Amino acid sequence: MKTDSALPKKDGSSLKVGIVRARWHDRYTNSLVRGCKKSLRACGVKHKQITVLDVPGAYEVVYGARHLMETTDVDVIICIGVLIKGDTMHFEYIADAVAHGIMELNVDEKVPVIFGVLTCLTDEQAKIRSIGKHNHGLGWGLTAVEMGLLHKSNV
Ligand code: DLZ
């Protein structure tokens, strides 16, 4: 499993992890979830410690994350979506709203939320970043373990 050297593999065996997955571009978001789960497993997070919540699109991941915070005891949440620029302004509006929504959750709430939303200009970019060698989900899983451990620590 090759990931960025800035992301060490830590012991996540004590963590409960939530994943919020948008169904838009589901071929890509499913692969990103698989990447996340692979690195979570490599850190010792077992299948039963992972809760996956599906939402319609990337715009809804922020609501999904807050819902997981209110209804479960997860230590960290990964929001996963894929936005591909089309002919409309939706792309900019949704990307901006989701980025701000996730940031606000991180500022206002205790549970860290990982930004796992790809913003791509083309379908080809989305494919490269989500399936095959460059699955960004791998890095998001490692990031989630590090932040989940920080959430549980006293420092
Ligand atoms: C409407 C829309 C568009 C145009 N593009 C995407 C996209 O590329 N990726 C994605 O996850 N969702 C998209 N959506 C749907 C919105 O995220 C949202 O589900 C709807 O606007 C309903 O709130």
Side-chain angles (χ1 to χ4, degrees):
M1 193 181 80
K2 191 173 177 324
T3 52
D4 195 310
S5 58
L7 299 172
K9 198 172 85 181
K10 300 197 170 199
D11 178 6
S13 56
S14 65
L15 296 177
K16 296 191 189 79
V17 179
I19 296 176
V20 184
R21 182 195 74 102
R23 282 192 300 271
W24 265 69
H25 307 298
D26 64 343
R27 180 168 167 237
Y28 302 142
T29 58
N30 283 336
S31 181
L32 291 163
V33 170
R34 279 196 296 277
C36 277
K37 286 183 168 176
K38 186 173 178 184
S39 56
L40 290 172
R41 269 199 309 278
C43 293
V45 183
K46 294 197 170 60
H47 178 74
K48 64 179 181 196
Q49 293 162 245
I50 303 172
T51 304
V52 181
L53 174 68
D54 280 359
V55 293
Y59 189 80
E60 282 77 34
V61 297
V62 175
Y63 184 92
R66 188 188 289 280
H67 183 74
L68 277 187
M69 285 178 193
E70 289 170 355
T71 57
T72 71
D73 59 350
V74 291
D75 301 300
V76 59
I77 296 170
I78 308 166
C79 286
I80 294 183
V82 172
L83 287 160
I84 302 177
K85 191 169 171 64
D87 296 333
T88 70
M89 287 294 285
H90 271 88
F91 174 86
E92 276 87 0
Y93 292 140
I94 298 170
D96 200 44
V98 175
H100 278 93
I102 291 177
M103 183 198 69
E104 278 172 21
L105 288 177
N106 278 300
V107 171
D108 296 340
E109 308 293 338
K110 297 267 187 290
V111 177
V113 182
I114 309 305
F115 186 80
V117 180
L118 295 181
T119 51
C120 305
L121 297 179
T122 62
D123 191 75
E124 187 58 23
Q125 282 183 351
K127 192 186 290 179
I128 290 167
R129 295 171 195 177
S130 61
I131 53 183
K133 285 185 197 155
H134 303 290
N135 186 328
H136 285 227
L138 293 167
W140 299 335
L142 297 180
T143 304
V145 168
E146 184 165 348
M147 294 307 290
L149 290 171
L150 182 59
H151 168 68
K152 281 175 83 110
S153 78
N154 293 319
V155 290

